Amino acid sequence: RVRVWNNNYSFFEDIVLKYPKTEIAWNNLGNAKLNLGDLNGALQCFNNSLQIDSSNINSLNNIANIKARLNDYTGAVQMFDKVIRLNPSDSMVYYNRGLSKMGIMDWEGSIRDFDTVIKQHKNFADVYCNRGVAYANLKNFEQAILCFSEAIKYNSKYHVAYLNRGNCFAIIGKYDSALSDFTQSIALN
């Protein structure tokens, strides 16, 4: 049929109607709904995609990310586990799983995931900063300071890393260093 589509959403909706047993069509419609901010609608589409192909990595990964956005960190970790079993080489899945593990306060697990990311992306400032937060929550402030320093090395304007490192310096009694980092954080923010 000839039709004019107003946007990706209506296009993919028509594709799903015409080809309801095609997982990529459901995945694409889910992405369109996700882009419109319809998390629950997107989740339903990705689940429909998995009904057709339970090993669709894109749908599994999208579901995991939506669960994390909805603060269902346990569910997110479970979905990221499935993605990693299917594709253990995608370092960003480890990063996102590490963030979700932080959400359930699995600090050691998040550090292991962040270590995996660092092996492939040595200059990824965010992973060092989040790894530092995990170490700080384990009360390993010296290691946390090293992580925040690495984050700053790769992004000298990372005010959150300065703030976090300053907090750790203050906790261990290095007040001059803490004040310096707090001042730098304020200047950058």
Side-chain angles (χ1 to χ4, degrees), residues 102-118:
M102 289 176 75
I104 57 174
M105 295 184 267
D106 176 4
W107 308 117
E108 292 92 353
S110 65
I111 290 167
R112 283 190 301 275
D113 282 345
F114 296 147
D115 287 346
T116 300
V117 177
I118 289 168

Side-chain angles (χ1 to χ4, degrees), residues 57 76 97 99 105 107 119 138 143 163-165 180:
I57 290 176
R97 186 176 70 174
L99 293 175
M105 295 184 267
W107 308 117
K119 289 176 188 172
L138 291 171
Q143 189 63 44
L163 176 64
N164 289 336
R165 188 174 71 176
S180 175

Side-chain angles (χ1 to χ4, degrees), residues 16-76:
V16 164
L17 288 173
K18 190 169 184 176
Y19 305 102
K21 299 285 186 198
T22 307
E23 85 278 346
I24 195 166
W26 282 108
N27 193 64
N28 288 337
L29 179 58
N31 283 320
K33 288 187 177 201
L34 192 57
N35 288 335
L36 293 172
D38 180 5
L39 298 181
N40 290 321
L43 197 55
Q44 183 59 51
C45 290
F46 297 133
N47 280 318
N48 288 344
S49 173
L50 291 178
Q51 293 298 317
I52 299 163
D53 178 4
S54 63
S55 64
N56 185 308
I57 290 176
N58 292 324
S59 292
L60 290 166
N61 193 48
N62 286 328
I63 289 170
N65 283 305
I66 290 172
K67 285 181 179 283
R69 285 177 63 181
L70 294 172
N71 299 325
D72 175 8
Y73 299 115
T74 300

Side-chain angles (χ1 to χ4, degrees), residues 114-179:
F114 296 147
D115 287 346
T116 300
V117 177
I118 289 168
K119 289 176 188 172
Q120 293 182 15
H121 304 283
K122 300 240 185 267
N123 61 350
F124 186 10
D126 288 345
V127 75
Y128 287 104
C129 192
N130 286 305
R131 186 170 170 244
V133 169
Y135 274 116
N137 277 285
L138 291 171
K139 310 258 186 270
N140 186 340
F141 300 111
E142 295 291 341
Q143 189 63 44
I145 288 168
L146 291 174
C147 291
F148 296 131
S149 297
E150 284 295 304
I152 292 165
K153 172 180 160 185
Y154 295 116
N155 181 356
S156 62
K157 298 186 184 308
Y158 203 164
H159 73 91
V160 172
Y162 283 102
L163 176 64
N164 289 336
R165 188 174 71 176
N167 285 328
C168 289
F169 278 136
I171 289 168
I172 63 172
K174 294 186 176 181
Y175 301 113
D176 288 341
S177 296
L179 182 59

